[in-house]
Amino acid sequence: MRNLKQDLLSEVDSRKFQDGFIKVTDSPLQALSSEQKVMLNRKGNELFNNGKINEASRIFITTGYSDGLTRVGDTFMKKNQSLEALKYYILAKNKNKCEPIYEKMAQTLSVLVKE
């Protein structure tokens, strides 16, 4: 349990939260046509595959492309940045990916409260 506390505190200390934790709006742009979304998602996939994760994530947020948002979240999870990953999982409305992070947060808070 001690490691969970250290992990969370370490991650919180290393975060700058310049953009906030959760995007203010999680709704994709309604003005985009299906064709525009397809073109943008292709560009986002290309950027993602070339390692330009931040640029790709902006496109995926704009279009509401849940698969792309989930892949961005997975990238942050691989880097041990679970809070950043959670942001993208929430935007993707991917409850299966959110639950383990919520569990870890609850366990950590439980340990903190007991101390």
Side-chain angles (χ1 to χ4, degrees), residues 96-109:
N96 291 332
K97 297 278 186 162
C98 290
E99 288 300 321
I101 299 171
Y102 291 148
E103 285 293 322
K104 183 177 177 182
M105 292 169 70
Q107 290 172 350
T108 303
L109 289 173

Side-chain angles (χ1 to χ4, degrees), residues 32-61:
L32 294 175
S33 69
S34 295
E35 294 81 17
Q36 290 171 317
K37 286 182 182 182
V38 168
M39 286 178 23
L40 284 170
N41 287 336
R42 283 183 184 152
K43 180 64 176 174
N45 285 328
E46 181 183 321
L47 290 166
F48 183 87
N49 292 334
N50 288 324
K52 297 180 178 179
I53 306 303
N54 291 331
E55 293 90 340
S57 70
R58 284 190 228 129
I59 291 173
F60 297 150
I61 289 169

Side-chain angles (χ1 to χ4, degrees), residues 2 4-14 108 112:
R2 185 86 175 137
L4 290 174
K5 177 182 174 184
Q6 290 171 338
D7 289 349
L8 183 63
L9 291 175
S10 163
E11 188 161 334
V12 169
D13 285 342
S14 69
T108 303
L112 291 172

Side-chain angles (χ1 to χ4, degrees), residues 57-99:
S57 70
R58 284 190 228 129
I59 291 173
F60 297 150
I61 289 169
T62 300
T63 62
Y65 183 43
S66 61
D67 184 57
L69 292 165
T70 297
R71 287 185 287 128
V72 170
D74 290 345
T75 300
F76 283 109
M77 281 301 287
K78 288 176 187 171
K79 295 178 181 179
N80 258 351
Q81 296 178 355
S82 56
L83 292 177
E84 192 68 22
L86 180 60
K87 170 183 171 180
Y88 290 98
Y89 294 151
I90 289 171
L91 290 171
K93 296 175 176 59
N94 190 329
K95 293 179 183 177
N96 291 332
K97 297 278 186 162
C98 290
E99 288 300 321

